[in-house]
Amino acid sequence: MELLKTSRAEYRGKMTKQNVVVSDCTSPIGKVRLAASDSALFSPAIPKTLAALGGRIAISKKKLMKRLDTRRGARVSTWVDSMRDSSPTRTKSTPSLPETEEKSSWILRHPSALENFEQIISASKGKQIVMFLDYDGTLSPIVEDPDQAFMSVEMREAVRDVARYFPTAIVSGRCRDKVYNFVRLEELFYAGSHGMDIKGPSKHRKCDKGNQAVIFEAASEFLPMIVEVYKALVNEISSIPGAKVENNKFCLSVHFRCVDEKSWAALAEQVRVVLSAYPKLKLTQGRKVLEIRPTIKWDKGKALEFLLESLGYANSNEVLPIYIGDDQTDEDAFKVLRHNGQGFGILVSRVAKETSASYSLQEPSEVKEFLRLLVEQESGLQKGQDSRGKRRGQG
């Protein structure tokens, strides 16, 4: 089946950019004029009579700065709480999950993909499975140094074998080239920068022409800005031990896995200060990482839809997408699958947390086992078909 050609312009036309207005609160004089719409700064509420005066009031610069500092402090505190919530403590050992009532209830809603493997296979009958895999925390363990997140030889073999039978894509927040350097399998599709940078294999069994590859970049115009912010962040957070900025081409990752929790507030504030000058960029979170991305409507869910369409499965009932991931950013793909009533999301997590995934796996070793089961199942089916064909030929 020939890959569909989707122009960059067509997909950009589907995106909408968010407009953010940043007010300049500096003034060479001791008074600063604010619009009445900034009423959240004041208590009690701004009197209605102000509207008749043009909707503006005068406040001393000292008082304004104090109130702005209070608001900034509240925002930073919220970010720190969010950083803590999205970064559960991980132990080096991997003991069994405690059977608490909360965990038991969560397992009922998101049962093990291994224990329910036959149910998944049953849903795939008569359909083409397409595999989507996150990298960090899914194919490789989470490590303190992101440059050392190597997958095992056994995991690489499992992914390679899966790609022999099913179209397979790695979808990561990492730069596409970095993910490829970790995986080193040419037969895969690679979607880096949260799906904003996609490339497929030059030779793919579903491509009749044999030398055509899916190539898509969703945010090329942001590249100069990303480089500029990267340099500013590296300089800004250099004083925080353990903090690291990773340039993932179309997005940036500020890793705080090795940062003392007491310094999280300072880190969040420094990142916020840098981004305040770039309203076209947004800040999101992953596991012990702050993600900086363009404010375009593109994410891992959009990347999943793009790849399915490129493979000829847009709005098709003949496909079963399976997406396996462990991070908050993978939820965009889980939501697409659930909304479309198509395929399954599988969350890799040892703790109960909100998710749109249908099934769960605890750790990368279980992901490897799940992939191997898929290969064994498909290999057995194909051998059975070959045997029946030979018997018919002998008859």
Side-chain angles (χ1 to χ4, degrees):
M1 185 179 296
E2 183 175 346
L3 293 172
L4 298 180
K5 295 181 180 179
T6 306
S7 70
R8 186 183 303 168
E10 290 175 339
Y11 269 81
R12 283 181 180 164
K14 296 179 181 180
M15 305 174 197
T16 58
K17 297 182 179 179
Q18 300 175 3
N19 294 320
V20 180
V21 178
V22 177
S23 299
D24 183 2
C25 293
T26 62
S27 175
I29 58 176
K31 300 285 185 178
V32 181
R33 304 188 70 81
L34 293 174
S37 58
D38 293 317
S39 58
L41 287 172
F42 306 94
S43 181
I46 298 175
K48 293 181 179 180
T49 52
L50 284 175
L53 300 174
R56 296 184 180 275
I57 64 172
I59 180 174
S60 71
K61 188 174 183 179
K62 182 177 180 180
K63 290 183 178 179
L64 174 63
M65 291 301 104
K66 183 177 180 180
R67 291 173 183 178
L68 287 176
D69 286 342
T70 300
R71 292 184 66 185
R72 281 195 293 265
R75 285 198 296 269
V76 170
S77 178
T78 299
W79 267 108
V80 171
D81 290 341
S82 183
M83 291 162 72
R84 189 176 295 111
D85 292 342
S86 65
S87 307
T89 301
R90 296 175 65 87
T91 58
K92 293 184 179 180
S93 59
T94 55
S96 299
L97 289 165
E99 288 299 321
T100 63
E101 182 177 346
E102 178 186 6
K103 181 61 183 180
S104 298
S105 175
W106 188 84
I107 286 293
L108 287 175
R109 300 193 305 274
H110 313 287
S112 168
L114 290 176
E115 295 177 6
N116 291 270
F117 182 77
E118 292 302 325
Q119 183 177 343
I120 295 173
I121 289 300
S122 177
S124 72
K125 289 182 179 179
K127 298 181 179 181
Q128 172 66 61
I129 292 177
V130 179
M131 288 298 308
F132 296 89
L133 302 165
D134 178 36
Y135 184 76
D136 293 274
T138 299
L139 299 181
S140 73
I142 295 293
V143 295
E144 291 186 352
D145 184 353
D147 292 333
Q148 301 299 312
F150 301 112
M151 65 194 307
S152 67
V153 173
E154 294 79 9
M155 180 67 86
R156 179 177 286 102
E157 291 175 350
V159 175
R160 180 199 61 202
D161 292 343
V162 163
R164 289 174 53 196
Y165 296 105
F166 315 112
T168 302
I170 307 295
V171 187
S172 172
R174 298 258 199 169
C175 169
R176 175 170 55 80
D177 290 340
K178 288 184 181 179
V179 178
Y180 176 79
N181 287 334
F182 278 129
V183 180
R184 292 286 182 180
L185 294 173
E186 295 183 358
E187 56 267 41
L188 306 183
F189 294 85
Y190 291 89
S193 302
H194 300 289
M196 286 183 280
D197 186 10
I198 301 174
K199 185 176 181 180
S202 59
K203 292 184 179 181
H204 190 260
R205 61 192 180 87
K206 277 188 169 291
C207 182
D208 295 335
K209 293 184 179 181
N211 59 358
Q212 184 180 9
V214 174
I215 300 178
F216 175 71
E217 295 181 343
S220 296
E221 65 271 23
F222 288 89
L223 288 177
M225 184 183 300
I226 293 292
V227 172
E228 188 175 322
V229 174
Y230 171 73
K231 293 178 180 178
L233 282 172
V234 168
N235 180 67
E236 190 70 23
I237 72 169
S238 60
S239 61
I240 299 181
K244 182 175 182 178
V245 185
E246 184 179 12
N247 189 341
N248 289 311
K249 189 174 181 179
F250 291 98
C251 61
L252 301 172
S253 298
V254 181
H255 299 277
F256 58 92
R257 178 167 299 278
C258 298
V259 176
D260 190 300
E261 188 169 338
K262 295 179 181 178
S263 298
W264 286 7
L267 177 63
E269 171 63 10
Q270 289 179 349
V271 172
R272 188 201 65 77
V273 168
V274 171
L275 286 188
S276 65
Y278 299 91
K280 291 185 178 181
L281 298 178
K282 63 182 178 180
L283 186 64
T284 60
Q285 285 186 246
R287 183 186 292 179
K288 293 257 174 120
V289 63
L290 297 174
E291 302 278 6
I292 297 165
R293 293 189 265 171
T295 54
I296 61 174
K297 289 189 175 181
W298 196 265
D299 50 39
K300 290 184 176 181
K302 295 290 186 181
L304 180 150
E305 291 179 316
F306 172 83
L307 284 168
L308 286 177
E309 183 171 343
S310 297
L311 288 165
Y313 292 119
N315 303 315
S316 173
N317 293 322
E318 299 178 355
V319 65
L320 186 84
I322 298 177
Y323 189 108
I324 307 179
D326 77 311
D327 199 80
Q328 182 63 34
T329 58
D330 298 309
E331 290 296 327
D332 294 317
F334 296 155
K335 290 174 183 177
V336 166
L337 294 179
R338 185 172 289 276
H339 178 267
N340 294 343
Q342 176 189 52
F344 301 112
I346 302 177
L347 175 68
V348 183
S349 177
R350 298 184 58 80
V351 298
K353 56 184 178 182
E354 289 297 321
T355 181
S356 294
S358 301
Y359 296 98
S360 64
L361 294 168
Q362 290 191 32
E363 56 193 11
S365 64
E366 291 196 352
V367 175
K368 180 177 64 179
E369 181 63 22
F370 180 83
L371 297 180
R372 284 180 169 174
L373 287 176
L374 279 178
V375 170
E376 291 174 6
Q377 175 73 22
E378 188 65 18
S379 176
L381 288 175
Q382 292 196 11
K383 286 180 180 178
Q385 292 172 354
D386 291 343
S387 298
R388 288 192 294 272
K390 289 179 180 180
R391 287 196 297 270
R392 284 196 295 269
Q394 292 171 353

